[in-house]
Amino acid sequence: MSARNILVINCGSSSIKFALVNESQETFIVSGLAERLGSPEAVLHWQQGEYKDSQALPNADHRQALAQLLPIAQQAAAGELHGIGHRVVHGGEHFSGASRLDATSLQAIRHVAPLAPLHNPANLLGIEAAMKLFPDLVQVAVFDTAFHQSLPEHAYRYAVPQALYAEHGVRRYGFHGTSHHYVSRKAAQMSNLAYDASSWLVAHLGNGSSTCAVENGHSRDTSMGLTPLEGLVMGTRSGDVDPNLHSHLARTLGWSLEQIDTLLNKDSGLLGLSGLSNDMRTLEQAREQGHAGATLAIEVFCYRLSKSLAAMSCALRRLDGLIFTGGIGENSALIRSKTLEHLSLLNLKLDVQANARCIRGVAGAIQADGHTCVLVVPTNEERQIALDTLALLD
Ligand code: ADP
């Protein structure tokens, strides 16, 4: 049988990212983005090799955008499309792996939507439109939370009354599972270790960021929790704060829940600390020019990241290496180096030249001689979603 093609779809509330993945190729055959859906400026962009194109889709909804992008994918696949893999943010406790989409799994995804009110309904929009448009294609949901369903109970329970867990699902779920899974497997390959006998700390650092401890191919702890707000400093998210901050702001400033939600999710993190930007590149440039807010934001980001990695090490019995991934992890030698300055007790130290070399998609080992392995591994969530989809087809 020739190598199969999977269309990977990631639906947001007003956007659809897509990629056509061939199982034998690391690069995508075609990939693109439909954005500003539902507005007069809606537009579809795509890229196939060096060729780039775009098409205005005024006022198009998810279904109309999918109807436009499918022929592009089918043509690129020369008619050989074997299935569709959908990214779904929250699978709750129901999904510990990918799931074929049918009436039962759709109902379960709807059921956990209160845990991810911004994300799951948008993911469902795309799934429902795609199922109507392509009823004959196998469609599969791949969940950001599923990889973390292997967390032991002492890692996933909050110290709150147990009825909140039993009756309302209040527990830590974790996110970015697709990426943590992909890069930890890749790291084992790069190190000539069996994935099921290897042990990793992972730092996925993008606009959203999280750490993870992966032992023998299973997530054992992770920094995000009930929602993707817990844990590290992120682009616009605060990460951990004192839970009493909510009542403090309500009491002293009279803020509503909505205002506090917006503050912690949209106005905080690197943006809030720097007063300048949520974008690490911009902050690194501003720091070079002596911008105090940018300098502080970078210091806090790295210190909090190192604290989280040290905490994650409690979940492991051995450490084969630390992995950096995501836009920041794959590109910022500065962030990698500043983070490791706080982690010398874990025998982590970088080789300056190797660290500088691993940017823009270059993978490799960057530790100094005689120190614990540190790897830069570009993530590829679309590929992992396609692999999970194919595994279900098999
Ligand atoms: P998302 O979580 O949206 O997928 P990405 O993984 O693309 O985000 O990461 C985006 C972040 O990566 C941004 O903060 C961006 O500034 C940062 N980034 C990208 N390239 C560089 C670079 N060369 N140096 C520092 N940061 C970078």
Side-chain angles (χ1 to χ4, degrees):
M1 186 168 49
S2 61
R4 293 162 298 176
N5 296 311
I6 298 294
L7 178 63
V8 175
I9 292 178
N10 179 357
C11 260
S13 56
S14 63
S15 69
I16 304 174
K17 277 193 210 156
F18 69 98
L20 182 68
V21 181
N22 180 278
E23 64 183 322
S24 68
Q25 274 173 241
E26 289 282 326
T27 50
F28 305 142
I29 302 174
V30 63
S31 62
L33 169 71
E35 58 181 345
R36 292 183 233 149
L37 296 175
S39 81
E41 290 82 37
V43 60
L44 172 65
H45 306 281
W46 70 97
Q47 174 162 12
Q48 186 170 1
E50 296 295 299
Y51 175 80
K52 287 184 184 172
D53 208 343
S54 57
Q55 183 184 352
L57 302 172
N59 301 311
D61 60 12
H62 286 75
R63 185 166 178 185
Q64 287 159 328
L66 281 170
Q68 289 299 319
L69 73 82
L70 180 76
I72 295 169
Q74 277 187 322
Q75 195 182 25
E80 295 277 317
L81 190 55
H82 295 85
I84 301 186
H86 293 269
R87 177 189 179 210
V88 179
V89 168
H90 217 306
E93 286 189 330
H94 193 91
F95 296 101
S96 55
S99 174
R100 198 163 169 154
L101 283 161
D102 55 22
T104 315
S105 56
L106 270 174
Q107 188 51 30
I109 296 171
R110 276 189 211 106
H111 186 72
V112 296
L115 290 169
L118 297 179
H119 294 104
N120 273 31
N123 301 152
L124 279 164
L125 275 180
I127 292 172
E128 282 161 356
M131 287 178 78
K132 281 203 186 101
L133 283 166
F134 328 126
D136 299 331
L137 270 183
V138 174
Q139 311 214 18
V140 169
V142 178
F143 301 89
D144 278 21
T145 50
F147 183 58
H148 302 300
Q149 278 298 297
S150 48
L151 258 59
E153 192 165 12
H154 63 254
Y156 72 69
R157 287 291 293 275
Y158 290 115
V160 296
Q162 61 94 19
L164 280 178
Y165 168 59
E167 290 161 31
H168 303 285
V170 174
R171 53 159 282 180
R172 308 182 64 254
Y173 291 95
F175 299 85
H176 291 143
T178 309
S179 176
H180 289 301
H181 183 191
Y182 180 83
V183 297
S184 54
R185 202 169 40 82
K186 261 278 190 261
Q189 279 167 9
M190 287 163 71
S191 310
N192 287 322
L193 293 169
Y195 188 40
D196 61 6
S198 66
S199 210
W200 307 97
L201 290 174
V202 187
H204 174 108
L205 311 174
N207 283 312
S209 295
S210 67
T211 56
C212 184
V214 183
E215 191 174 56
N216 303 338
H218 302 289
S219 172
R220 307 301 293 167
D221 201 356
T222 189
S223 60
M224 285 177 167
L226 176 72
T227 76
L229 183 58
E230 186 175 333
L232 306 177
V233 173
M234 308 182 214
T236 62
R237 288 177 234 161
S238 63
D240 293 341
V241 291
D242 184 332
N244 270 336
L245 179 59
H246 290 72
S247 54
H248 176 76
L249 293 174
R251 233 182 8 250
T252 57
L253 302 177
W255 283 23
S256 67
L257 271 183
E258 285 72 23
Q259 283 173 301
I260 298 169
D261 233 35
T262 304
L263 172 89
L264 297 177
N265 283 285
K266 304 251 166 74
D267 303 333
S268 295
L270 294 171
L271 174 66
L273 274 167
S274 68
L276 179 68
S277 172
N278 64 317
D279 190 286
M280 191 58 90
R281 262 170 308 198
T282 308
L283 295 182
E284 287 193 16
Q285 282 156 13
R287 174 181 173 274
E288 287 286 303
Q289 288 151 13
H291 190 286
T295 307
L296 176 69
I298 286 173
E299 294 300 326
V300 178
F301 182 92
C302 295
Y303 182 62
R304 288 271 297 275
L305 170 58
S306 60
K307 264 195 353 182
S308 175
L309 288 167
M312 286 298 136
S313 73
C314 298
L316 301 177
R317 283 164 290 187
R318 201 185 63 240
L319 181 59
D320 289 318
L322 164 64
I323 304 162
F324 282 102
T325 193
I328 299 170
E330 293 166 27
N331 290 295
S332 178
L334 177 75
I335 298 300
R336 297 189 299 238
S337 136
K338 283 195 146 298
T339 302
L340 263 57
E341 279 170 17
H342 300 296
L343 286 169
S344 53
L345 284 181
L346 289 183
N347 191 33
L348 289 162
K349 188 168 182 231
L350 292 185
D351 177 273
V352 176
Q353 269 132 35
N355 186 32
R357 217 167 29 238
C358 287
I359 53 170
R360 284 189 228 104
V362 177
I366 59 171
Q367 76 278 5
D369 274 355
H371 289 266
T372 305
C373 169
V374 182
L375 294 171
V376 176
V377 183
T379 194
N380 191 336
E381 290 165 274
E382 292 81 0
R383 185 159 176 80
Q384 184 63 48
I385 291 173
L387 294 175
D388 288 352
T389 303
L390 284 164
L392 263 194
L393 293 187
D394 291 339

